[in-house]
Amino acid sequence: MVQKSSSFFPHLIIGLCALLGACSGNQALQDRFAANPSLGSSPNTTTPVSPTPTPQPTEPDSTTTPTPTPTATFSTGTFSDLEKVGDRQRAEIEDLSQLGIVQAKTGQEFAPQSNISRGEFARWLFQANNVFFANQPSKQIRPASSNTTPLFTDVPPSHPDFAQIQGLADAGLIPSSLTNDPSATQFRPGAPLTREDVVRWKVPLDYRRALPNASLENIKETWGFQDAAKISPNIWPALAADFQNGDQSNLKRMFGYITIFQPQRPVTREEAASALWFLGAQADGLSAKDVINAPAAPSPAVEPEPTVTPENSPN
């Protein structure tokens, strides 16, 4: 039997201690990589996004008043200087003002006794016709485009009343080169309107057809004007047609009973308003009051959409 060295036991003890230390280290290493129950799985560093809510239809506010559909309205403007005008003339001026056909001369003053210019009356005449017959396109006068070649050298497209003056000339109501009057190269919009001008421009809009033939003797017999010889032959047909209009004649409404025409006498703003207050023949004409009191045109009926049923549904 071999006898063990005395140093064997110390070496054995040291080996056991080393073995135990290694085992202890492995356990610590296992504990180091063990899952931490307080952490659970690896955390997600991305912030969760809440789902976008589906928009819901907004309920109408029962307290909100619906906006009404705009309707045509007339001006209610009155003038401050009509106290010396007769009751009939005052009513005519105010009716035309309510329709937006005539305007103040300065501020709130209509200046009824002031002369009216040819340009201003042309604008009033154009507006009156198209307002009176707003629902009858066949009776309206078309305004001229700014691209139209001017008929008058003193009314270029830049003139504020170009569309109306040129439109009246295009319709043949104002003498121009279109009416075989080559001398009418200027309109003279700032010149005073004369009695002849009113008759020549306005009566064709009342008559709406070819004017009757007339002679100097005819004018003398019907109107009885003492100065008939001074009247231009160009307006004899218009004077004859105006006489046929009876009490709605422009001359009778403007001047009352007269035996002298004074063809070149300037027309006042009050007289021009009286001429424009009525348009047409006495049997079927319209006054400004008629236009104001006319019932509003009914809105077109909206037909309901057809209901689709299985029987009539498209394939």
Side-chain angles (χ1 to χ4, degrees):
M1 179 177 185
V2 180
Q3 187 177 6
K4 295 182 180 179
S5 174
S6 60
S7 61
F8 174 79
F9 289 102
H11 287 290
L12 177 62
I13 293 173
I14 292 173
L16 290 173
C17 290
L19 180 61
L20 292 173
C23 294
S24 175
N26 291 337
Q27 183 61 44
L29 185 62
Q30 294 176 3
D31 293 341
R32 184 177 178 183
F33 288 95
N36 190 339
S38 65
L39 297 178
S41 60
S42 300
N44 187 356
T45 58
T46 304
T47 304
V49 179
S50 301
T52 304
T54 302
Q56 300 296 324
T58 304
E59 293 294 332
D61 186 357
S62 58
T63 62
T64 302
T65 303
T67 303
T69 302
T71 56
T73 57
F74 299 126
S75 168
T76 57
T78 56
F79 303 104
S80 61
D81 58 344
L82 300 182
E83 67 280 353
K84 295 182 180 180
V85 176
D87 292 340
R88 180 181 65 82
Q89 290 83 356
R90 183 186 304 113
E92 290 174 347
I93 293 170
E94 291 180 346
D95 287 346
L96 292 171
S97 174
Q98 189 172 346
L99 292 172
I101 295 170
V102 303
Q103 301 81 32
K105 185 174 178 63
T106 55
Q108 292 296 318
E109 295 183 350
F110 183 74
Q113 304 304 324
S114 297
N115 295 339
I116 186 171
S117 68
R118 287 164 54 92
E120 186 168 29
F121 183 77
R123 182 175 71 250
W124 287 7
L125 178 62
F126 184 96
Q127 292 173 333
N129 181 82
N130 287 3
V131 169
F132 277 43
F133 302 107
N135 296 324
Q136 300 182 57
S138 62
K139 291 187 176 182
Q140 293 181 0
I141 302 171
R142 300 296 185 266
S145 167
S146 59
N147 297 326
T148 306
T149 301
L151 291 171
F152 307 108
T153 59
D154 55 352
V155 186
S158 59
H159 192 281
D161 297 325
F162 171 78
Q164 293 84 3
I165 295 173
Q166 182 92 3
L168 290 167
D170 286 338
L173 298 169
I174 291 178
S176 70
S177 58
L178 299 178
T179 58
N180 297 321
D181 192 346
S183 63
T185 58
Q186 291 189 330
F187 179 71
R188 299 179 295 115
L193 182 79
T194 67
R195 293 183 173 186
E196 274 194 350
D197 293 334
V198 173
V199 173
R200 188 169 189 179
W201 301 356
K202 169 68 166 41
V203 172
L205 284 176
D206 295 322
Y207 209 63
R208 302 274 175 176
R209 57 184 183 275
L211 298 177
N213 295 324
S215 64
L216 178 59
E217 292 302 319
N218 177 258
I219 300 303
K220 289 180 178 179
E221 293 175 0
T222 53
W223 286 105
F225 292 144
Q226 301 177 42
D227 58 347
K230 298 180 180 180
I231 302 173
S232 171
N234 291 331
I235 71 162
W236 290 348
L239 279 175
D242 197 47
F243 183 81
Q244 295 177 9
N245 216 2
D247 290 339
Q248 295 300 348
S249 156
N250 290 280
L251 295 187
K252 292 180 180 179
R253 285 188 290 105
M254 291 170 67
F255 312 122
Y257 176 71
I258 56 174
T259 61
I260 301 177
F261 180 50
Q262 303 178 79
Q264 297 304 313
R265 180 171 175 173
V267 174
T268 67
R269 293 165 60 86
E270 171 192 351
E271 293 166 347
S274 292
L276 296 177
W277 186 80
F278 188 90
L279 274 171
Q282 57 181 340
D284 57 359
L286 286 175
S287 70
K289 184 63 70 178
D290 294 332
V291 178
I292 293 172
N293 294 333
S299 301
V302 178
E303 297 183 2
E305 296 183 0
T307 302
V308 178
T309 60
E311 290 78 8
N312 60 12
S313 61
N315 294 329

